[in-house]
Amino acid sequence: MALHEKTIVITGAARGIGRACAVRAAEEGADVVLIDIAGDLPEIPYALGSADQLEQTAQQCRKNGASVLVATADVRSRSAVSSAITAAADRFGQIDALINNAGVGAPSGKFAHDFTDEEWHAILDVNLTGAWHVITAVAPVMVSQRSGSIVNVASTAGLVGYRHFAGYCASKHGLIGLTKAAALDYAPLNIRVNALCPGPVRDDPAVDGQMTSVVADALGISYEEQEAVYLESVATDSLVDPADVAGAAIWLAGDDSRKVTGTVVPVDAGFSAR
Ligand SMILES: NC(=O)c1ccc[n+]([C@@H]2O[C@H](COP(=O)([O-])OP(=O)(O)OC[C@H]3O[C@@H](n4cnc5c(N)ncnc54)[C@H](O)[C@@H]3O)[C@@H](O)[C@H]2O)c1
């Protein structure tokens, strides 16, 4: 088991890619710290993960033998994140990896100049500043251990532009920059930092996935139309599954990738090969 006796923190763990990562980490022998806002935000135009969904993730992890700590925290709040990570370090005595996954796909669906200040800050605050908040809380624990792996879940929207997704693209490009700089900061301390770039991910009901629906709603088209656009953009004949992203995240979190740091790993069904 790739993560035997390790403690892994996963943000955005209530559903989707976060749930897939958490369950896979548990299957690989890890104890898990599941962080999610578990509630909605007025600035975000769709329902975020719920307390019930977070509990479902926890139950699936426990079924796989993991010890689980559940923490409700908004990654925009440095103090809430700090409390969750302090509780995790107290409970498990170590944090071996962070899967920094919490993120939002909207407000989107408009020209760059049409974003209001509130919309712009909403997406940047969660996807970029939020991810930085989690790093600020986890890094001191890893520095004192002289070991750790941080996996920032960016996107192919961190590699190229997507029309009418300026805020999202800016946040994910920023996250990749943060990844590279932090990798250089922490390399001498045996802490690795990498970015994962999921490409078009199917809304898998098994993990309550819904990001492709969020993208379709932002663009005012149906799920089927968005799926067809995505299928056209990839090299394979099917979209990425949350489980595919989880497989790469677990590899980056564990020791098999011990010489891998500062990299940007697409899991995108060939999207970025074009
Ligand atoms: N699904 C895709 O197609 C896709 C593609 C590329 C990248 N990504 C990235 O993968 C990550 C996960 O996406 P997903 O598809 O699983 O989305 P999702 O909406 O299904 O899950 C995201 C989770 O993050 C939580 N979250 C959102 N804002 C939060 C906050 N402020 N504080 C704490 N938790 C918060 C939500 O409650 C939810 O449980 C995101 O960073 C997303 O940008 C997704």
Side-chain angles (χ1 to χ4, degrees):
M1 291 199 288
L3 300 179
H4 182 57
E5 292 188 341
K6 292 194 185 289
T7 302
I8 315 292
V9 174
I10 301 121
T11 68
R15 69 177 184 212
I17 290 170
R19 182 187 290 171
C21 290
V23 174
R24 181 68 196 278
E27 287 169 357
E28 294 292 343
D31 293 327
V32 291
V33 180
L34 308 177
I35 300 179
D36 203 285
I37 191 169
D40 294 339
L41 285 174
E43 300 89 340
I44 308 301
Y46 62 93
L48 297 178
S50 66
D52 280 354
Q53 287 175 318
L54 186 56
E55 186 46 36
Q56 273 186 47
T57 305
Q59 279 176 18
Q60 288 183 35
C61 292
R62 286 188 200 105
K63 250 189 233 159
N64 282 290
S67 292
V68 179
L69 177 67
V70 175
T72 300
D74 180 346
V75 295
R76 298 177 311 167
S77 162
R78 199 168 174 171
S79 61
V81 168
S82 172
S83 301
I85 297 303
T86 300
D90 287 350
R91 163 93 176 262
F92 294 109
Q94 65 196 63
I95 295 177
D96 300 290
L98 161 65
I99 300 177
N100 210 359
N101 163 78
V104 291
S108 291
K110 51 181 77 179
F111 283 103
H113 71 273
D114 283 332
F115 285 87
T116 64
D117 280 5
E118 290 73 25
E119 289 170 335
W120 182 262
H121 285 298
I123 206 151
L124 268 290
D125 285 353
V126 177
N127 291 1
L128 182 54
T129 308
W132 173 68
H133 284 156
V134 190
I135 291 172
T136 64
V138 165
V141 179
M142 292 181 169
V143 168
S144 67
Q145 297 168 176
R146 291 292 191 276
S147 69
S149 175
I150 294 172
V151 183
N152 293 321
V153 180
S155 169
T156 46
L159 303 173
V160 298
Y162 283 80
R163 182 175 293 141
H164 294 161
F165 279 80
Y168 186 72
C169 288
S171 70
K172 295 298 188 178
H173 275 72
L175 184 55
I176 288 176
L178 170 59
T179 299
K180 291 177 180 175
L184 297 178
D185 285 349
Y186 298 120
L189 301 168
N190 195 33
I191 298 161
R192 300 181 296 112
V193 189
N194 291 285
L196 204 52
C197 292
V201 178
R202 174 177 80 89
D203 281 359
D204 182 357
V207 293
D208 298 337
Q210 65 155 63
M211 190 61 92
T212 295
S213 303
V214 166
V215 170
D217 288 348
L219 295 173
I221 61 177
S222 68
Y223 180 87
E224 289 71 26
E225 287 169 319
Q226 185 58 40
E227 191 177 50
V229 171
Y230 274 168
L231 277 169
E232 196 61 33
S233 75
V234 297
T236 61
D237 60 3
S238 58
L239 302 184
V240 177
D241 277 320
D244 299 320
V245 182
I250 294 317
W251 175 70
L252 286 172
D255 296 336
D256 282 350
S257 60
R258 64 187 178 280
K259 294 294 179 195
V260 179
T261 195
T263 67
V264 179
V265 179
V267 183
D268 66 354
F271 169 88
S272 54
R274 297 195 166 170

